[in-house]
Amino acid sequence: MPVIAIIGAGPGLGAAVARRFGREGFSIALISRNQSKLDAMAAELNAGGVIARGYAADVRVPTALGEALARAAAELGPITALQYSPLPAREYLKPVLEMTPELALEALQFSALGLIHAVRAVLPAMREAGEGSIILINGGTSVKARADFAGTSVAFPAESAYGEMLHDALEGEGVRVAQLVIPGSIPKLQLVNGIDDVADRIWDLHAVAGPFRTMLIPLEDGRE
């Protein structure tokens, strides 16, 4: 069975994407910091007929993240799709005048460097198979900086730049790299089917080759 690893899996978008990919025959590797929460998510998905397992790791700790992805591949199979969507900490949303080098570095570790470590763990198998997808989920500060969200305004563009370069470098190899920008809190976006609409869009990014960046809604309509 194909496998999607969802880094930053939670009861909202992560669970919706797990259900959506599960309907397509995917097994699900759930990755976040809290093993007990992951086990509860996995149990709920398993009860619904989706094969899922949880692997605890902090994206800021490269060895832990690499080990989680390696265990997932060993237990479920080679990772076909990677979703990188850890939810930024509140500290990363401080005003720019409160930004410190330490906070900027942590935000970069969380977003850009975490993604790079994850990609290096899963990309060789994707390239060997000649198929796969790497999907970044970011907020509006990946497109336009905001002085009141200084950490993500520094880190998300770096993550985006790496993703766009990957998209260009892997074009033609069967490995798709895409970014979905969600400019606001999903419950506030007034989508017809709510979070399931977002999961459908993420499935489309996996299934169909296209441009690197997709906006869920226009940036100016966001409610961050």
Side-chain angles (χ1 to χ4, degrees):
M1 297 176 68
V3 178
I4 180 172
I6 302 174
I7 298 178
L13 181 59
V17 170
R19 293 191 298 268
R20 181 67 180 86
F21 276 70
R23 291 201 303 270
E24 302 291 341
F26 275 68
S27 296
I28 317 297
L30 305 165
I31 299 175
S32 67
R33 288 181 291 180
N34 189 306
Q35 186 66 53
S36 62
K37 291 181 179 179
L38 291 173
D39 290 343
M41 284 182 61
E44 185 173 346
L45 289 164
N46 290 331
V50 177
I51 296 173
R53 294 185 184 179
Y55 303 90
D58 187 329
V59 298
R60 296 167 299 182
V61 182
T63 54
L65 182 57
E67 288 170 1
L69 289 165
R71 283 190 289 116
E75 295 177 7
L76 298 174
I79 293 170
T80 312
L82 174 75
Q83 175 177 306
Y84 194 81
S85 54
L87 187 65
R90 286 188 175 273
E91 288 78 7
Y92 307 155
L93 308 181
K94 289 184 176 181
V96 66
L97 294 179
E98 297 179 23
M99 173 66 75
T100 64
E102 293 79 12
L103 184 60
L105 177 59
E106 184 176 327
L108 285 164
Q109 290 172 330
F110 188 84
S111 295
L113 299 184
L115 173 64
I116 293 170
H117 287 299
V119 167
R120 288 178 64 83
V122 303
L123 185 57
M126 291 182 182
R127 296 183 76 187
E128 183 177 352
E131 63 177 352
S133 67
I134 298 165
I135 301 168
L136 291 59
I137 311 296
N138 294 109
T141 51
S142 61
V143 179
K144 182 176 175 57
R146 286 185 51 173
D148 51 342
F149 287 2
T152 59
S153 292
V154 168
F156 278 174
E159 180 184 341
S160 300
Y162 174 68
E164 187 168 11
M165 289 186 290
L166 273 183
H167 172 274
D168 295 346
L170 295 171
E171 197 167 19
E173 290 195 28
V175 180
R176 291 176 288 282
V177 183
Q179 177 191 49
L180 180 63
V181 177
I182 305 175
S185 172
I186 292 172
K188 297 180 181 179
L189 299 184
Q190 300 176 351
L191 303 171
V192 175
N193 296 307
I195 206 162
D196 289 335
D197 281 347
V198 186
D200 284 339
R201 185 69 66 89
I202 291 169
W203 169 258
D204 291 342
L205 293 177
H206 163 76
V208 181
F212 168 66
R213 176 173 289 154
T214 295
M215 302 293 298
L216 181 65
I217 62 172
L219 185 64
E220 59 272 16
D221 293 344
R223 295 179 174 85
E224 287 190 294

